[in-house]
Amino acid sequence: MEGLLLYKLIILFMLDRTNYTMTNSIISDFVIGKGYTNLFNLHESLSELIDKDFISTYTIRDTIHYKITNLGEEALSFFENRLPYAIKQDILEYLKAEKINIKNESEIYADYFFNDSNWYTVQCVIKDRKETLVDIKFDVPTKSQAETICNNWRTKSSDIYSYLVNQLWTAE
């Protein structure tokens, strides 16, 4: 099998077998960590999949998130039989072992941008698959504050979510 075709099928299969987006680090951890290819070939495969609209991307704080598109699912359905069974099993085992990390990377995130009021708007999000549980936006005066909030969100989001629910749910 042509090398790049194999790498593309691995990527599509990975994205198809999870309900979450995946970051470059998660994909490369598997593909390179298992010795299937090198970083150059992986990035070339990702670029071609994006160019053909087989996967879509969005960026959160300099981290690219990948998601399979309907066109990618269709392409995978035609060529999945060319992906060796052993590789499929490796992927499924990896996804099972890394489920919490994949979920955390794709469902708990924060980002910021400079707004028209010359402040920084911070957005902190918690999702559960396709449902948004929390989406908080607020303004802070400095970039440093915005970065600190974003950096702390992943580790503190669960406590903050619990606090908000408890505070808003209890009657006074």
Side-chain angles (χ1 to χ4, degrees), residues 37-55:
T37 191
N38 59 41
L39 192 59
F40 177 79
N41 288 334
L42 176 62
H43 285 288
E44 184 176 352
S45 298
L46 285 166
S47 292
E48 288 183 17
L49 288 169
I50 293 166
D51 290 344
K52 299 286 186 196
D53 292 322
F54 290 161
I55 60 176

PDB file of all heavy atoms in Angstrom, residues 37-55:
ATOM      1  N   THR A  37       5.213   6.172  10.849  1.00  0.00           N
ATOM      2  CA  THR A  37       5.853   7.115   9.939  1.00  0.00           C
ATOM      3  C   THR A  37       6.568   8.195  10.742  1.00  0.00           C
ATOM      4  O   THR A  37       6.591   8.167  11.974  1.00  0.00           O
ATOM      5  CB  THR A  37       4.838   7.739   8.963  1.00  0.00           C
ATOM      6  OG1 THR A  37       5.558   8.455   7.934  1.00  0.00           O
ATOM      7  CG2 THR A  37       3.880   8.692   9.644  1.00  0.00           C
ATOM      8  N   ASN A  38       7.120   9.158  10.010  1.00  0.00           N
ATOM      9  CA  ASN A  38       7.809  10.279  10.661  1.00  0.00           C
ATOM     10  C   ASN A  38       6.926  11.525  10.632  1.00  0.00           C
ATOM     11  O   ASN A  38       5.862  11.534  10.011  1.00  0.00           O
ATOM     12  CB  ASN A  38       9.160  10.548   9.981  1.00  0.00           C
ATOM     13  CG  ASN A  38       9.014  10.863   8.506  1.00  0.00           C
ATOM     14  OD1 ASN A  38       8.114  11.574   8.090  1.00  0.00           O
ATOM     15  ND2 ASN A  38       9.905  10.315   7.696  1.00  0.00           N
ATOM     16  N   LEU A  39       7.365  12.569  11.304  1.00  0.00           N
ATOM     17  CA  LEU A  39       6.593  13.799  11.429  1.00  0.00           C
ATOM     18  C   LEU A  39       6.314  14.452  10.075  1.00  0.00           C
ATOM     19  O   LEU A  39       5.220  14.953   9.834  1.00  0.00           O
ATOM     20  CB  LEU A  39       7.328  14.775  12.359  1.00  0.00           C
ATOM     21  CG  LEU A  39       6.552  15.986  12.843  1.00  0.00           C
ATOM     22  CD1 LEU A  39       5.316  15.556  13.609  1.00  0.00           C
ATOM     23  CD2 LEU A  39       7.435  16.850  13.729  1.00  0.00           C
ATOM     24  N   PHE A  40       7.297  14.417   9.181  1.00  0.00           N
ATOM     25  CA  PHE A  40       7.117  15.021   7.859  1.00  0.00           C
ATOM     26  C   PHE A  40       5.966  14.358   7.107  1.00  0.00           C
ATOM     27  O   PHE A  40       5.082  15.030   6.571  1.00  0.00           O
ATOM     28  CB  PHE A  40       8.413  14.934   7.042  1.00  0.00           C
ATOM     29  CG  PHE A  40       8.275  15.478   5.658  1.00  0.00           C
ATOM     30  CD1 PHE A  40       8.297  16.852   5.435  1.00  0.00           C
ATOM     31  CD2 PHE A  40       8.090  14.630   4.571  1.00  0.00           C
ATOM     32  CE1 PHE A  40       8.148  17.367   4.153  1.00  0.00           C
ATOM     33  CE2 PHE A  40       7.929  15.135   3.290  1.00  0.00           C
ATOM     34  CZ  PHE A  40       7.967  16.500   3.082  1.00  0.00           C
ATOM     35  N   ASN A  41       5.973  13.025   7.031  1.00  0.00           N
ATOM     36  CA  ASN A  41       4.907  12.313   6.325  1.00  0.00           C
ATOM     37  C   ASN A  41       3.552  12.510   6.990  1.00  0.00           C
ATOM     38  O   ASN A  41       2.528  12.606   6.309  1.00  0.00           O
ATOM     39  CB  ASN A  41       5.220  10.818   6.235  1.00  0.00           C
ATOM     40  CG  ASN A  41       6.338  10.520   5.270  1.00  0.00           C
ATOM     41  OD1 ASN A  41       6.590  11.272   4.332  1.00  0.00           O
ATOM     42  ND2 ASN A  41       7.026   9.407   5.491  1.00  0.00           N
ATOM     43  N   LEU A  42       3.548  12.563   8.313  1.00  0.00           N
ATOM     44  CA  LEU A  42       2.294  12.788   9.030  1.00  0.00           C
ATOM     45  C   LEU A  42       1.704  14.142   8.666  1.00  0.00           C
ATOM     46  O   LEU A  42       0.522  14.255   8.340  1.00  0.00           O
ATOM     47  CB  LEU A  42       2.509  12.686  10.541  1.00  0.00           C
ATOM     48  CG  LEU A  42       1.294  13.003  11.406  1.00  0.00           C
ATOM     49  CD1 LEU A  42       0.164  12.015  11.123  1.00  0.00           C
ATOM     50  CD2 LEU A  42       1.669  12.995  12.865  1.00  0.00           C
ATOM     51  N   HIS A  43       2.519  15.185   8.694  1.00  0.00           N
ATOM     52  CA  HIS A  43       2.021  16.522   8.367  1.00  0.00           C
ATOM     53  C   HIS A  43       1.613  16.640   6.903  1.00  0.00           C
ATOM     54  O   HIS A  43       0.642  17.326   6.584  1.00  0.00           O
ATOM     55  CB  HIS A  43       3.036  17.589   8.762  1.00  0.00           C
ATOM     56  CG  HIS A  43       3.068  17.823  10.224  1.00  0.00           C
ATOM     57  ND1 HIS A  43       2.061  18.471  10.897  1.00  0.00           N
ATOM     58  CD2 HIS A  43       3.963  17.466  11.169  1.00  0.00           C
ATOM     59  CE1 HIS A  43       2.330  18.512  12.184  1.00  0.00           C
ATOM     60  NE2 HIS A  43       3.486  17.901  12.383  1.00  0.00           N
ATOM     61  N   GLU A  44       2.330  15.952   6.026  1.00  0.00           N
ATOM     62  CA  GLU A  44       1.932  15.950   4.612  1.00  0.00           C
ATOM     63  C   GLU A  44       0.566  15.274   4.456  1.00  0.00           C
ATOM     64  O   GLU A  44      -0.299  15.764   3.723  1.00  0.00           O
ATOM     65  CB  GLU A  44       2.985  15.227   3.769  1.00  0.00           C
ATOM     66  CG  GLU A  44       2.690  15.277   2.290  1.00  0.00           C
ATOM     67  CD  GLU A  44       3.787  14.644   1.432  1.00  0.00           C
ATOM     68  OE1 GLU A  44       4.853  14.292   1.955  1.00  0.00           O
ATOM     69  OE2 GLU A  44       3.537  14.499   0.221  1.00  0.00           O
ATOM     70  N   SER A  45       0.355  14.184   5.157  1.00  0.00           N
ATOM     71  CA  SER A  45      -0.932  13.482   5.100  1.00  0.00           C
ATOM     72  C   SER A  45      -2.055  14.351   5.647  1.00  0.00           C
ATOM     73  O   SER A  45      -3.137  14.441   5.046  1.00  0.00           O
ATOM     74  CB  SER A  45      -0.855  12.173   5.891  1.00  0.00           C
ATOM     75  OG  SER A  45       0.108  11.315   5.335  1.00  0.00           O
ATOM     76  N   LEU A  46      -1.818  14.998   6.789  1.00  0.00           N
ATOM     77  CA  LEU A  46      -2.827  15.887   7.363  1.00  0.00           C
ATOM     78  C   LEU A  46      -3.169  17.022   6.395  1.00  0.00           C
ATOM     79  O   LEU A  46      -4.344  17.341   6.186  1.00  0.00           O
ATOM     80  CB  LEU A  46      -2.346  16.453   8.703  1.00  0.00           C
ATOM     81  CG  LEU A  46      -2.387  15.501   9.885  1.00  0.00           C
ATOM     82  CD1 LEU A  46      -1.579  16.061  11.054  1.00  0.00           C
ATOM     83  CD2 LEU A  46      -3.822  15.225  10.307  1.00  0.00           C
ATOM     84  N   SER A  47      -2.147  17.616   5.799  1.00  0.00           N
ATOM     85  CA  SER A  47      -2.371  18.721   4.853  1.00  0.00           C
ATOM     86  C   SER A  47      -3.218  18.282   3.671  1.00  0.00           C
ATOM     87  O   SER A  47      -4.133  18.999   3.246  1.00  0.00           O
ATOM     88  CB  SER A  47      -1.038  19.269   4.345  1.00  0.00           C
ATOM     89  OG  SER A  47      -0.349  19.897   5.381  1.00  0.00           O
ATOM     90  N   GLU A  48      -2.926  17.101   3.126  1.00  0.00           N
ATOM     91  CA  GLU A  48      -3.698  16.614   1.986  1.00  0.00           C
ATOM     92  C   GLU A  48      -5.143  16.302   2.385  1.00  0.00           C
ATOM     93  O   GLU A  48      -6.065  16.555   1.609  1.00  0.00           O
ATOM     94  CB  GLU A  48      -3.019  15.386   1.372  1.00  0.00           C
ATOM     95  CG  GLU A  48      -1.743  15.746   0.628  1.00  0.00           C
ATOM     96  CD  GLU A  48      -1.080  14.549  -0.047  1.00  0.00           C
ATOM     97  OE1 GLU A  48      -1.741  13.503  -0.222  1.00  0.00           O
ATOM     98  OE2 GLU A  48       0.107  14.678  -0.401  1.00  0.00           O
ATOM     99  N   LEU A  49      -5.339  15.756   3.580  1.00  0.00           N
ATOM    100  CA  LEU A  49      -6.704  15.476   4.046  1.00  0.00           C
ATOM    101  C   LEU A  49      -7.499  16.766   4.231  1.00  0.00           C
ATOM    102  O   LEU A  49      -8.691  16.819   3.929  1.00  0.00           O
ATOM    103  CB  LEU A  49      -6.665  14.677   5.352  1.00  0.00           C
ATOM    104  CG  LEU A  49      -6.222  13.225   5.228  1.00  0.00           C
ATOM    105  CD1 LEU A  49      -5.963  12.620   6.609  1.00  0.00           C
ATOM    106  CD2 LEU A  49      -7.260  12.402   4.469  1.00  0.00           C
ATOM    107  N   ILE A  50      -6.832  17.805   4.706  1.00  0.00           N
ATOM    108  CA  ILE A  50      -7.483  19.113   4.869  1.00  0.00           C
ATOM    109  C   ILE A  50      -7.811  19.698   3.493  1.00  0.00           C
ATOM    110  O   ILE A  50      -8.922  20.178   3.258  1.00  0.00           O
ATOM    111  CB  ILE A  50      -6.591  20.069   5.685  1.00  0.00           C
ATOM    112  CG1 ILE A  50      -6.472  19.583   7.124  1.00  0.00           C
ATOM    113  CG2 ILE A  50      -7.129  21.497   5.632  1.00  0.00           C
ATOM    114  CD1 ILE A  50      -5.354  20.248   7.920  1.00  0.00           C
ATOM    115  N   ASP A  51      -6.840  19.636   2.572  1.00  0.00           N
ATOM    116  CA  ASP A  51      -7.045  20.173   1.219  1.00  0.00           C
ATOM    117  C   ASP A  51      -8.208  19.501   0.492  1.00  0.00           C
ATOM    118  O   ASP A  51      -8.922  20.140  -0.273  1.00  0.00           O
ATOM    119  CB  ASP A  51      -5.778  20.030   0.373  1.00  0.00           C
ATOM    120  CG  ASP A  51      -4.656  20.956   0.836  1.00  0.00           C
ATOM    121  OD1 ASP A  51      -4.930  21.915   1.591  1.00  0.00           O
ATOM    122  OD2 ASP A  51      -3.494  20.706   0.437  1.00  0.00           O
ATOM    123  N   LYS A  52      -8.405  18.214   0.735  1.00  0.00           N
ATOM    124  CA  LYS A  52      -9.480  17.461   0.079  1.00  0.00           C
ATOM    125  C   LYS A  52     -10.792  17.527   0.871  1.00  0.00           C
ATOM    126  O   LYS A  52     -11.770  16.884   0.505  1.00  0.00           O
ATOM    127  CB  LYS A  52      -9.088  15.988  -0.087  1.00  0.00           C
ATOM    128  CG  LYS A  52      -7.862  15.766  -0.923  1.00  0.00           C
ATOM    129  CD  LYS A  52      -8.142  15.974  -2.375  1.00  0.00           C
ATOM    130  CE  LYS A  52      -6.912  15.595  -3.183  1.00  0.00           C
ATOM    131  NZ  LYS A  52      -6.950  16.107  -4.518  1.00  0.00           N
ATOM    132  N   ASP A  53     -10.803  18.302   1.956  1.00  0.00           N
ATOM    133  CA  ASP A  53     -11.979  18.449   2.827  1.00  0.00           C
ATOM    134  C   ASP A  53     -12.417  17.133   3.469  1.00  0.00           C
ATOM    135  O   ASP A  53     -13.592  16.937   3.758  1.00  0.00           O
ATOM    136  CB  ASP A  53     -13.164  19.082   2.074  1.00  0.00           C
ATOM    137  CG  ASP A  53     -12.895  20.533   1.704  1.00  0.00           C
ATOM    138  OD1 ASP A  53     -12.271  21.239   2.517  1.00  0.00           O
ATOM    139  OD2 ASP A  53     -13.306  20.942   0.603  1.00  0.00           O
ATOM    140  N   PHE A  54     -11.460  16.241   3.709  1.00  0.00           N
ATOM    141  CA  PHE A  54     -11.754  15.000   4.421  1.00  0.00           C
ATOM    142  C   PHE A  54     -11.716  15.211   5.930  1.00  0.00           C
ATOM    143  O   PHE A  54     -12.327  14.455   6.669  1.00  0.00           O
ATOM    144  CB  PHE A  54     -10.775  13.891   4.032  1.00  0.00           C
ATOM    145  CG  PHE A  54     -10.956  13.386   2.623  1.00  0.00           C
ATOM    146  CD1 PHE A  54      -9.938  12.693   2.003  1.00  0.00           C
ATOM    147  CD2 PHE A  54     -12.139  13.582   1.914  1.00  0.00           C
ATOM    148  CE1 PHE A  54     -10.087  12.200   0.709  1.00  0.00           C
ATOM    149  CE2 PHE A  54     -12.305  13.102   0.621  1.00  0.00           C
ATOM    150  CZ  PHE A  54     -11.264  12.411   0.020  1.00  0.00           C
ATOM    151  N   ILE A  55     -10.977  16.220   6.351  1.00  0.00           N
ATOM    152  CA  ILE A  55     -10.976  16.612   7.757  1.00  0.00           C
ATOM    153  C   ILE A  55     -11.070  18.131   7.841  1.00  0.00           C
ATOM    154  O   ILE A  55     -10.651  18.839   6.936  1.00  0.00           O
ATOM    155  CB  ILE A  55      -9.739  16.093   8.549  1.00  0.00           C
ATOM    156  CG1 ILE A  55      -8.430  16.625   7.972  1.00  0.00           C
ATOM    157  CG2 ILE A  55      -9.725  14.588   8.627  1.00  0.00           C
ATOM    158  CD1 ILE A  55      -7.196  16.219   8.777  1.00  0.00           C
TER     159      ILE A  55
END
